[in-house]
């Protein structure tokens, strides 16, 4: 019952924030307009609605929800900074390796600032989550891996936001699985599921897009839900998968892999215009 309530709260909160920001877009609607992969004009207000609605809804999910709200709020805010203030000189810098490489050369990109900010928010969220382990070292290790899982998942989901609806579909699948896995993070995952479902229609129709704002916030929420699970095997497996996929993305195009797989391609195309 708590999971269903959390999912419904995610739907309602995200819908309410979407209505509010669309009726009075901060800085005007033009500030949020972007051109997508197909050359169509879309609005980043969809991402703002996801970040704001998810963060608000998470406040009703207890201590784990509060930790997730911290992570989602920080990730969404830093994503918005990147979405709205990215310089033309930074646009060619892509991926984790690209931003860190630019930093080594003395170029501080908005992406590098986002990485640092999301990492800080993830660390703060890990301090809010209950520590697991019988000793001080074990508890510190748990907090460190929790922060890595939250920040890594926030970054990974953003890598899927290259086609309409793709990142939201990934969110729905991952959130549904995490919800069914149970544990303290289940209501948090259910909230992410509800929020993602609420924005899916507008994203698929290419009226809105997530951008870094929405994708980072939803990813951080999923990461917090996974970090709160009592199973060390599940947490470790999730972190390993996140790291492996992130490293793989530096060498392999996710879009190319999806397009070459008939099943993945069909799922990716489902619902799109």
């Amino acid at each position: 019952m708590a999971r269903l309530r959390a999912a419904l709260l995610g739907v309602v909160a995200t819908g309410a924030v979407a209505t509010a920001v669309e009726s009075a877009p901060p800085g005007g609607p033009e500030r949020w307009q972007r051109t997508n992969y197909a050359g169509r004009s879309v609005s980043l207000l969809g991402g703002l609605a996801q970040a704001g609605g998810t963060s608000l809804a998470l406040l009703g999910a207890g201590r784990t929800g509060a930790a997730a709200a911290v992570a989602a709020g920080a990730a969404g805010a830093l994503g918005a900074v990147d979405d709205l203030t990215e310089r033309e000189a930074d646009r060619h810098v892509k991926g984790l390796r690209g931003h860190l490489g630019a930093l080594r050369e003395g170029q501080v990109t908005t992406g590098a600032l986002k990485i640092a900010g999301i990492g800080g928010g993830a660390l703060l969220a890990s301090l809010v989550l209950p520590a697991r382990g019988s000793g001080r070292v074990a508890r510190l290790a748990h907090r460190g891996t929790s922060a890595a899982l939250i920040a890594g998942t926030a970054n990974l989901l953003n890598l899927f936001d290259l086609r309409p609806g793709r990142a939201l579909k990934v969110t729905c699948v991952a959130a549904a699985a995490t919800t069914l896995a149970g544990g303290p993070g289940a209501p948090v995952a259910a909230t992410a599921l509800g929020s993602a479902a609420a924005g899916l229609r507008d994203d698929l129709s290419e009226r809105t897009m997530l951008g870094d704002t929405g994708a980072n916030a939803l990813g951080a929420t999923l990461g917090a839900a996974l970090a709160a699970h009592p199973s060390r095997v599940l947490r470790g497996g999730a972190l390993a998968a996140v790291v492996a996929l992130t490293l793989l993305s530096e060498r392999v195009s996710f879009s190319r892999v999806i397009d070459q797989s008939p099943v993945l391609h069909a799922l990716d195309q489902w619902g799109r215009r």
Side-chain angles (χ1 to χ4, degrees), residues 90-132:
D90 295 343
R91 294 188 186 278
H92 70 284
V93 182
K94 301 296 181 182
L96 187 62
R97 183 170 59 181
H99 290 295
L100 294 180
L103 195 59
R104 284 196 297 270
E105 296 175 4
Q107 179 186 356
V108 182
T109 64
T110 53
L113 292 175
K114 184 183 72 172
I115 291 169
I118 290 176
L123 182 59
L124 183 57
S126 74
L127 296 176
V128 178
L129 287 172
R132 298 187 183 277

Side-chain angles (χ1 to χ4, degrees), residues 31 34 79-88 90-91 110:
R31 188 181 189 191
R34 294 295 184 275
V81 170
D82 199 20
D83 280 336
L84 297 176
T85 65
E86 184 181 31
R87 298 169 298 188
E88 192 63 37
D90 295 343
R91 294 188 186 278
T110 53

Side-chain angles (χ1 to χ4, degrees), residues 179-190:
T179 300
L180 293 174
V188 169

Side-chain angles (χ1 to χ4, degrees), residues 34-254:
R34 294 295 184 275
T35 302
N36 71 357
Y37 81 106
R40 299 187 180 98
S41 181
V42 295
S43 174
L44 282 168
L45 289 173
L48 184 60
Q50 287 290 325
T54 303
S55 299
L56 285 174
L58 286 169
L59 296 177
R63 181 173 177 177
T64 304
V70 169
L78 270 297
V81 170
D82 199 20
D83 280 336
L84 297 176
T85 65
E86 184 181 31
R87 298 169 298 188
E88 192 63 37
D90 295 343
R91 294 188 186 278
H92 70 284
V93 182
K94 301 296 181 182
L96 187 62
R97 183 170 59 181
H99 290 295
L100 294 180
L103 195 59
R104 284 196 297 270
E105 296 175 4
Q107 179 186 356
V108 182
T109 64
T110 53
L113 292 175
K114 184 183 72 172
I115 291 169
I118 290 176
L123 182 59
L124 183 57
S126 74
L127 296 176
V128 178
L129 287 172
R132 298 187 183 277
S134 56
R136 185 174 183 180
V137 174
R139 289 194 292 271
L140 286 174
H142 175 256
R143 293 200 187 281
T145 55
S146 293
L149 181 54
I150 294 168
T153 309
N155 176 69
L156 179 61
L157 188 64
N158 194 34
L159 299 179
F160 285 99
D161 189 35
L162 298 176
R163 293 294 184 273
R166 181 182 294 173
L168 288 176
K169 290 175 185 176
V170 172
T171 299
C172 288
V173 172
T178 307
T179 300
L180 293 174
V188 169
T191 301
L193 175 59
S195 297
L200 194 55
R201 184 178 65 176
D202 284 343
D203 202 290
L204 285 170
S205 65
E206 298 182 49
R207 197 176 77 81
T208 64
M209 64 182 291
L210 286 180
D212 291 6
T213 308
N216 286 150
L218 284 173
T221 303
L222 286 174
L226 289 166
H229 199 278
S231 170
R232 187 182 303 174
V233 174
L234 188 148
R235 296 196 309 270
L239 180 58
V242 166
V243 172
L245 287 171
T246 302
L247 293 176
L248 185 64
S249 72
E250 299 288 339
R251 297 181 176 276
V252 177
S253 166
F254 286 172

